[in-house]
Amino acid sequence: MEKTYFDKAHFWGRLWSLAALGMLMCIPACFCLYYNIWPAAVGVMKGLIAVIPMFWTIAIVEVISYSPMLGVGGMYISFVSGNISNLKLPCAIAAMENAKVRANTEEGEVITTIATATSAITTTLIIAAGVLVFSPIMPYLTDENSIFAPAFQQVLPALFGALGASYFAKHFKLTVLPILTGVIVLVFAPSMGAGTLIPITVIVSLIGAQVMFKKNVV
Amino acid sequence: MGTGDFKISTFMYLLGAFVFVFVICQSAFFITKAWRQGKKIGISSKDMRNTVSSSILFTVAPAIAIVATVLTLANSLGIVLPWIRLSIIGNISYEVTAAESALNALGVAGGISQEVTDKTQFAAIMWVTSIGSCFPLILMPLILKKIQKKIGTVAKANAKWADLMAAAAFIGLISAFIARSIIGAGKEDIIGDGAGIVSVATLLFSIITMLILERLAEKFKLKWLEPFTMPLSMILAMGVAIILVQILPADIAILEWRG
């Protein structure tokens, strides 16, 4: 039986994913080899234990939920280049609308692949250009005594405020419980780092959402 | 940058260039294959060219926004690693979380609000961000083909639940950082590390600005504004932090209630 385009796309995608995985691991490995320093495995493991439960759960949910919209090529491209929900996904959906094709058809597959690949190339070029243009002035912006120093100290509240705002507005009921949990935990353990606090708030948030979903509250 | 020069060394730039070439090659490969297939099944070249040009236009603004997030991480990690990280499986909230977590695990005061000057700590951050984010690359070759056959129907039936769980996981993550900005203690010797007037003001300003900008973009149908609402709120809120530190009496500006 002749292989369909989808079969072939899966074959290429698998090869590229494995190559990307190799490259991803190659970056820290090259750094360690070049400078001949190796961080203590225990430290790295501790850091990983804090993020893996959430990151890997999100990965499963994302692979499953984006899959019907991004098609085969679009998935393999998007999960290598990243920025999916804020860039690749809306781009692919807009392209299908413009070309008047549907997802999960061969036409849709061709259009989403072209759209996500174009988007990945454009993003990569723009980020690289931005880095080259801005890197000479970075030291002046970020010096400890620079007038801009407080801005960089407050990156996290600024980032998570903006990131959270639209989620809070959309899912207010889901928001109250995890924030309250975080605050209460910190009342008793004020120095707890984000790495330890995250698994607690994520698990509480997931359980809360599941309960509210079952009870039809959300 | 003192002892931090290794973060922007030629070697780091070479690693960055390597990632850059890889991502471009993968995309170019898939475009070529899809284009040929498109011609074969009768999609006009004009339609495919339109897809390319509209996708470029669509991407420019969010990509500039990503550059802004690269810059915000550059203080602590140098400019090259955030560039690499946001070019491959990149996502600002993952990178910040993973880097913070790595530094926490190593017992480093201040997390990424301080410049990382130690190569070993930097290497630990590289490993945690890389391994933490690699799972989709393992998962997809294993399951994507199977799930794409089945998932169409299942996801449609449970779309609401799937969306809800993704949102809940994400909200849980954000909540940890928000709680720390409200009431977390910092290290004694680092000003601006613990929660205080400035962190709470920055947080609130960022939330309010974001809500206002989103409302404006929606009400006046400002399509160009949409991708910028988040970076703009973030940068304006960071601006508020600068202004507050300038205008407030020094002892109030550095007040951190939990130390």
Side-chain angles (χ1 to χ4, degrees):
Chain A
M1 197 177 87
E2 206 196 331
K3 284 191 169 164
T4 66
Y5 178 71
F6 289 100
D7 290 331
K8 287 186 206 159
H10 275 295
F11 176 72
W12 303 321
R14 284 170 175 175
L15 289 184
W16 278 104
S17 292
L18 294 177
L21 184 64
M23 189 194 61
L24 193 63
M25 294 305 143
C26 197
I27 295 165
C30 286
F31 182 87
C32 290
L33 283 172
Y34 184 80
Y35 287 107
N36 195 27
I37 41 111
W38 296 87
V42 180
V44 173
M45 290 303 286
K46 266 196 199 162
L48 282 171
I49 285 168
V51 294
I52 279 185
M54 183 196 57
F55 282 12
W56 290 28
T57 310
I58 292 180
I60 295 171
V61 174
E62 282 186 345
V63 167
I64 293 172
S65 55
Y66 294 161
S67 160
M69 292 170 278
L70 280 172
V72 181
M75 283 292 281
Y76 288 111
I77 295 165
S78 298
F79 276 91
V80 166
S81 61
N83 287 296
I84 302 172
S85 61
N86 59 338
L87 188 46
K88 304 293 174 342
L89 197 57
C91 185
I93 292 170
M96 282 191 284
E97 267 180 33
N98 285 339
K100 300 189 174 54
V101 295
R102 283 187 304 116
N104 302 312
T105 60
E106 212 166 332
E107 289 79 8
E109 173 64 29
V110 167
I111 294 295
T112 48
T113 302
I114 294 175
T116 44
T118 306
S119 179
I121 292 175
T122 312
T123 315
T124 311
L125 288 174
I126 289 178
I127 297 180
V131 166
L132 292 178
V133 172
F134 281 102
S135 58
I137 56 166
M138 276 318 290
Y140 303 101
L141 290 178
T142 58
D143 185 81
E144 220 174 289
N145 298 315
S146 139
I147 186 173
F148 298 106
F152 289 99
Q153 282 158 2
Q154 301 303 333
V155 167
L156 293 179
L159 169 67
F160 284 97
L163 205 58
S166 46
Y167 273 85
F168 300 161
K170 256 183 263 165
H171 304 278
F172 184 72
K173 285 178 188 162
L174 295 183
T175 310
V176 182
L177 185 64
I179 291 189
L180 211 59
T181 308
V183 169
I184 292 170
V185 170
L186 288 176
V187 166
F188 294 103
S191 317
M192 183 183 282
T196 322
L197 190 57
I198 288 165
I200 302 175
T201 48
V202 169
I203 290 168
V204 168
S205 180
L206 286 172
I207 294 172
Q210 178 70 22
V211 171
M212 282 186 254
F213 182 76
K214 287 267 178 227
K215 298 202 165 179
N216 279 326
V217 184
V218 285
Chain B
M1 289 219 171
T3 52
D5 277 343
F6 68 89
K7 299 196 289 293
I8 49 169
S9 64
T10 311
F11 178 71
M12 284 299 293
Y13 275 101
L14 279 176
L15 288 180
F18 180 45
V19 169
F20 173 85
V21 170
F22 183 93
V23 176
I24 301 270
C25 283
Q26 187 202 20
S27 299
F29 173 89
F30 272 102
I31 286 189
T32 317
K33 294 289 183 187
W35 202 281
R36 275 191 206 140
Q37 184 65 16
K39 278 192 164 168
K40 218 166 154 186
I41 59 173
I43 302 176
S44 72
S45 296
K46 185 172 157 258
D47 275 351
M48 292 193 281
R49 271 201 304 272
N50 279 343
T51 302
V52 170
S53 46
S54 65
S55 299
I56 291 175
L57 280 181
F58 193 94
T59 304
V60 170
I64 293 174
I66 295 169
V67 173
T69 57
V70 170
L71 294 180
T72 59
L73 287 175
N75 180 41
S76 91
L77 302 176
I79 202 155
V80 187
L81 184 61
W83 168 38
I84 291 176
R85 294 299 318 134
L86 288 169
S87 295
I88 180 157
I89 332 188
N91 177 316
I92 180 74
S93 51
Y94 285 16
E95 301 317 320
V96 172
T97 313
E100 276 284 311
S101 169
L103 290 174
N104 274 183
L106 296 170
V108 178
I112 64 154
S113 59
Q114 304 294 307
E115 185 183 351
V116 176
T117 53
D118 181 281
K119 288 194 190 83
T120 317
Q121 289 170 9
F122 193 73
I125 292 174
M126 289 175 110
W127 282 111
V128 173
T129 50
S130 297
I131 299 175
S133 64
C134 75
F135 196 46
L137 296 178
I138 302 171
L139 204 58
M140 285 202 300
L142 293 176
I143 64 166
L144 187 61
K145 196 172 180 180
K146 282 185 204 115
I147 59 171
Q148 276 209 314
K149 287 191 172 159
K150 291 180 189 166
I151 203 66
T153 45
V154 180
K156 270 175 204 155
N158 294 323
K160 199 188 162 203
W161 180 83
D163 285 353
L164 200 69
M165 284 297 137
F170 205 54
I171 286 170
L173 158 74
I174 301 170
S175 301
F177 286 96
I178 300 244
R180 274 200 52 78
S181 306
I182 297 172
I183 199 170
K187 303 287 185 224
E188 272 173 29
D189 51 341
I190 298 169
I191 295 169
D193 183 37
I197 300 269
V198 179
S199 73
V200 171
T202 309
L203 175 71
L204 287 178
F205 189 84
S206 182
I207 293 176
I208 293 166
T209 312
M210 181 72 185
L211 292 176
I212 292 173
L213 288 178
E214 277 197 324
R215 188 64 55 85
L216 282 178
E218 195 187 322
K219 195 167 179 193
F220 297 103
K221 302 201 166 34
L222 306 173
K223 276 270 170 220
W224 59 269
L225 182 61
E226 281 171 15
F228 284 104
T229 49
M230 193 192 125
L232 211 58
S233 313
M234 200 174 146
I235 288 165
L236 287 174
M238 285 162 73
V240 165
I242 296 178
I243 295 168
L244 282 178
V245 170
Q246 294 294 320
I247 60 168
L248 286 175
D251 50 345
I252 295 182
I254 61 164
L255 177 69
E256 296 170 23
W257 19 82
R258 305 300 296 278

